[in-house]
Amino acid sequence: MPPPAPTQVIMEAWVKGVNPKGNSTNPSNWDFGSSFFFAGTVVTTIGYGNLAPSTEAGQVFCVFYALVGIPLNVVFLNHLGAGLHGHLATLERWEEQPRRSQLLQILGLALFLTLGTLVILIFPPMVFSHVEGWSFGEGFYFAFITLSTIGFGDYVVGTDPSKHYISVYRSLAAIWILLGLAWLALILPLGPLLLHRCSQLWLLSRGLSLKDRGAPEMDGLPRPQKIPISA
Amino acid sequence: MRSTTLLALLALVLLYLVSGALVFQALEQPHEQQAQRELGEVREKFLRAHPCVSDQDLGLFIKDVADALGGGADPDINSTSNSNHSAWDLGSAFFFSGTIITTIGYGNAALRTDAGRLFCIFYALVGIPLFGILLAGVGDRLGSSLRRGIGHIEAIFLKWHVPPGLVRILSAVLFLLIGCLLFVLTPTFVFCYVEGWSKLEAIYFVVVTLTTVGFGDYVAGASPNQSNAAYQPLVWFWILLGLAYFASVLTTIGNWLRVVSRRTRAEMGGLTAQAASWTGTVTARVTQRVGPTAPPPLEKERPLLPPPPCPAQPAGRPPSPLPVKAEPPSPSSPPTASALDYPSENLAFIDESSDTQSERGCALPRAPRGRRRPPNPPRKPARPRGPGRPREKGVPV
């Protein structure tokens, strides 16, 4: 039997999750920290895929693990998002005042969004790009792909075998992912709300009599949101 | 109270992650080490068979190959065989766009250029909400038609004098079975046949895809010898329908988990008001159990009745005189004041996709809910708005 072509062997090893650059003294891909990170990518549905179970038992377990873990994580994120939502209470109280505070409200909302973006989307990519040696664009791309839960897996933090990371690095990344996802869960419902309000303002400015038709929809969307806020 | 719930949930999630990490490590690490050993052996053998190649040269070559693999090149193709296969022909690019907006993100083909990445960010920002709207619509239609069909079957069962509790379980099982058959088993066999995977691999691919985890270790239509141009678009449409189904299944499981957590919280809280209404419920349940002949006829009539006029009062409660004790708190508590107690749940209600909301609407006339309601009333008076119904939807599973 002729020896297999080296490219094929490398390809197979690559598919199986072995880094062909390393030699056999490499740290394992499946030590506890990496497994923990992998479990996190499963339940958040990011699924980078730089690690994936390749044994049958692992795949079977992964299926059931995802079926239970994803809803559990969604429940948790909802609670966390609700906690963050409390910070919006002041903004919504302004809304009670009729006219002049609309500008203030918009300003406050903009401030909140900018702060959140800075803390969640701008600062961590800077850290990642510094630690991993990426450009800022790559770091931001990584952050976006992660938090939108797309998770291509072409850039993953803490996977370079030639680097020595501090031990809490991956845990910090995991916490950032959780916070970022909760933040997104908070602001994504705001999007339709803002759109709706903008469209209403637009309709009002055009003087259309669609207001009474818009009213029941108004009940459907912003009402349940406003009730918890004013708590 | 809320922060303790949050902490408990966080602890639960972390515990879940740790246990998963331990299991994955136990399952995968030996296999990985074996693969690593095999690679080392092959390398040794290659060096021995070709003494002219130095160890360093081979290392450099391997590094180049690994980089090219990361860059999306196919190692089986050398530069002289002008294969015009590309990972970025139109069909594959369409599929790739699909993996962006569904947030599956297989990553078997990912972007290498800066311009592509920049475009991807804005593309996703617009595309993901757009797809969410589409998914809600599809899930709406799908869920309502499925439920209508199940309603017919349920009516047949009721005509055969099957006990309603059994009918409820049967219909839930039917919903799961039909969905599984349509969106999991059929594609599984198709993938087995077309891609040549084993059944387990195909099911793994289906679940990983439809939960939008998307590892990308198995991707349908990614093999270069795939000739049929309609295959990948078809896969994409299956993903669209299957996502709607899986979203409803995952919401069901989530609601079920929420019911469990709330039940434990209600039991551990020990608030007097809750305790009072709890005893009321227990009495009501006992009285209902004593007279089991009363509910069934009501439940049989239920599908014929129009939906109850008051939207705040969850439907399906038979206007039976028996559970009077549990009844009074619900109409008397104003919705605003009670909603204050559970802001997070209201938020969760918002976050739930609109397909569940409409499913809830469809579930109104059908369900013989009366028997399921008594276990929960301690929470019911506090939650007159939406969340009451998805919780019940979760119960039968």
Side-chain angles (χ1 to χ4, degrees), chain B residues 326-389:
Chain B
E327 199 75 73
S330 47
S332 62
S333 71
T336 350
S338 54
L340 294 182
D341 304 334
Y342 291 91
S344 52
E345 282 155 15
N346 268 306
L347 192 80
F349 161 54
I350 298 163
D351 285 347
E352 278 162 18
S353 56
S354 61
D355 55 343
T356 24
Q357 286 176 37
S358 60
E359 268 173 21
R360 233 176 281 143
C362 300
L364 286 188
R366 147 194 103 92
R369 302 276 187 202
R371 285 167 62 116
R372 282 290 166 173
R373 186 153 299 275
N376 307 333
R379 273 100 47 194
K380 188 186 76 172
R383 302 168 62 251
R385 280 195 90 85
R389 273 165 236 141

Side-chain angles (χ1 to χ4, degrees), chain A residues 46 48 117 119-129 134-151 154-157 176-177 180-181 184, chain B residues 121:
Chain A
I46 293 175
Y48 286 124
T117 312
V119 172
I120 300 291
L121 268 185
I122 305 294
F123 184 59
M126 284 164 77
V127 175
F128 292 140
S129 51
W134 299 334
S135 73
F136 178 73
E138 285 169 334
F140 187 79
Y141 173 70
F142 162 74
F144 181 83
I145 293 298
T146 299
L147 289 188
S148 57
T149 74
I150 293 177
D154 46 352
Y155 290 87
V156 181
V157 291
W176 164 71
I177 289 175
L181 286 179
L184 284 185
Chain B
I121 287 178

Side-chain angles (χ1 to χ4, degrees), chain A residues 24-90:
Chain A
S24 51
T25 59
N26 239 22
S28 167
N29 275 331
W30 290 97
D31 58 352
F32 178 75
S34 307
S35 301
F36 186 81
F37 198 74
F38 170 76
T41 65
V42 172
V43 298
T44 52
T45 77
I46 293 175
Y48 286 124
N50 61 330
L51 281 182
S54 44
T55 60
E56 286 213 346
Q59 289 173 355
V60 170
F61 179 72
C62 183
V63 165
F64 291 102
Y65 190 74
L67 281 182
V68 179
I70 292 169
L72 182 70
N73 192 51
V74 165
V75 171
F76 170 67
L77 284 183
N78 279 336
H79 273 266
L80 204 60
L84 288 176
H85 219 264
H87 293 287
L88 270 181
T90 46

